[in-house]
Amino acid sequence: MRRCVPCLRLLCEGTGLLRGGAGSPSPSSSSSPNFSHAAEEKIEKESQALKRVACYPHRFMTRPVLPVPTSQILSPLFLSNLMELNQLATDLHCLSFSAPKAHWDAAVILLKDSPDAKEYEVWVNPSVPGYDDRNAVAPMYGMWENCISCGASMAWVVRPQRITCSGYDEHGSQKVQVLDGMRARCLMHELDHLMGKTIFDQTTGPEFVVSSVAMAQRHLWPANFPSAEAYMTIPGQFFDYVRNTTVIPPGMEWWYAQNTREEFGNDRIAR
């Protein structure tokens, strides 16, 4: 059976030098001393950065953080902590990141516009109306989410397709934005951390949490496990509950086309 699998871990990209698919170096370049040295340096940098990440059930992953007083947003201490947070997120190649992951008790989120963006957008004290309203009537996307603070686990999480977020930027100026697609999902994912929650809290039940190894064996799962929509949705895709079909995250079509590779495997035949 042929399956298309995106090579990006959505909330933490992983080491680009080790990633297959488009943009991978040729065998001749990968055997050069310069490439090997660069790869070793990058792996070592990520390894050291990972040691600084708070992992569930660390206390920063299980309790709400404190809001940042607006009078302190431009303080030297805040800006220093923000610089360190930005550097850690950059070293880990994350699409989004939040202060609790870096042992910082502050309501701060970093968010990229796209996987290829160089800079992070800063959200201080972000607020989303209707956050965590399980009875909300709104268009939803389902997705297999992972998290750098939750080990090699993936969880099926349903979130709104579009949100309105208000907060402050790194200069202390108020801002309100409408976010959709992957940006909305990443912000809501990090907002969970500010509230002391993880993907384990936001999934439907224990059967909707699997390991990355199990995800690679999806073709051997029982039919429609753990649900029909979760079963048919590969990592990196959304399930659109309005259209009742899988979709590529809006705004990421080009990235998805460039970073998707084909895998071949054998289905287990039921007798």
Side-chain angles (χ1 to χ4, degrees):
M1 181 186 72
R2 185 173 66 183
R3 296 176 289 124
C4 291
V5 181
C7 305
L8 175 73
R9 287 182 290 161
L10 286 172
L11 301 176
C12 182
E13 296 181 40
T15 305
L17 290 172
L18 301 181
R19 192 167 64 224
S24 297
S26 63
S28 59
S29 64
S30 63
S31 60
S32 68
N34 288 339
F35 176 85
S36 298
H37 181 67
E40 290 175 0
E41 282 190 344
K42 189 162 189 176
I43 293 172
E44 177 62 22
K45 179 182 289 187
E46 286 192 7
S47 176
Q48 294 302 318
L50 280 170
K51 294 178 181 179
R52 298 166 55 195
V53 175
C55 294
Y56 181 85
H58 190 286
R59 60 180 179 272
F60 275 112
M61 294 291 104
T62 56
R63 69 183 187 190
V65 298
L66 296 174
V68 179
T70 54
S71 60
Q72 295 183 13
I73 292 179
L74 294 178
S75 68
L77 178 59
F78 177 86
L79 295 177
S80 175
N81 287 334
L82 181 61
M83 186 179 300
E84 290 185 8
L85 185 71
N86 196 304
Q87 186 60 57
L88 183 57
T90 300
D91 290 344
L92 293 168
H93 309 282
C94 292
L95 282 176
S96 60
F97 208 68
S98 53
K101 292 178 177 178
H103 307 261
W104 183 17
D105 192 5
V108 178
I109 289 175
L110 302 181
L111 183 66
K112 279 188 176 182
D113 287 335
S114 69
D116 298 321
K118 301 299 183 183
E119 303 294 332
Y120 287 98
E121 180 182 4
V122 178
W123 285 90
V124 182
N125 299 340
S127 176
V128 175
Y131 165 78
D132 210 23
D133 183 359
R134 296 300 180 96
N135 298 316
V137 180
M140 296 286 185
Y141 285 138
M143 183 185 185
W144 287 105
E145 286 189 17
N146 63 354
C147 179
I148 197 169
S149 292
C150 295
S153 298
M154 304 191 76
W156 181 258
V157 181
V158 178
R159 300 190 188 276
Q161 295 185 9
R162 176 173 294 186
I163 61 173
T164 300
C165 185
S166 60
Y168 297 86
D169 63 17
E170 65 271 36
H171 306 294
S173 301
Q174 284 186 299
K175 61 178 181 177
V176 179
Q177 286 186 20
V178 175
L179 296 83
D180 57 13
M182 188 59 71
R183 290 186 72 224
R185 177 165 291 268
C186 287
L187 190 138
M188 291 290 281
H189 176 101
E190 302 303 341
L191 187 57
D192 285 343
H193 289 306
L194 302 190
M195 301 297 178
K197 300 178 181 180
T198 67
I199 55 176
F200 302 137
D201 299 294
Q202 298 294 49
T203 193
T204 306
E207 69 274 19
F208 288 84
V209 179
V210 300
S211 68
S212 57
V213 175
M215 184 59 69
Q217 299 174 353
R218 286 176 59 256
H219 57 293
L220 299 178
W221 292 5
N224 295 330
F225 178 88
S227 68
E229 64 271 24
Y231 179 78
M232 67 184 293
T233 307
I234 66 173
Q237 285 187 344
F238 286 164
F239 182 85
D240 189 332
Y241 282 93
V242 176
R243 297 163 56 189
N244 199 34
T245 186
T246 57
V247 297
I248 296 172
M252 297 186 66
E253 292 83 0
W254 182 88
W255 174 88
Y256 198 89
Q258 294 296 316
N259 290 273
T260 299
R261 58 188 168 84
E262 292 184 344
E263 287 189 349
F264 296 86
N266 294 319
D267 278 329
R268 181 176 59 184
I269 300 176
R271 297 184 182 276

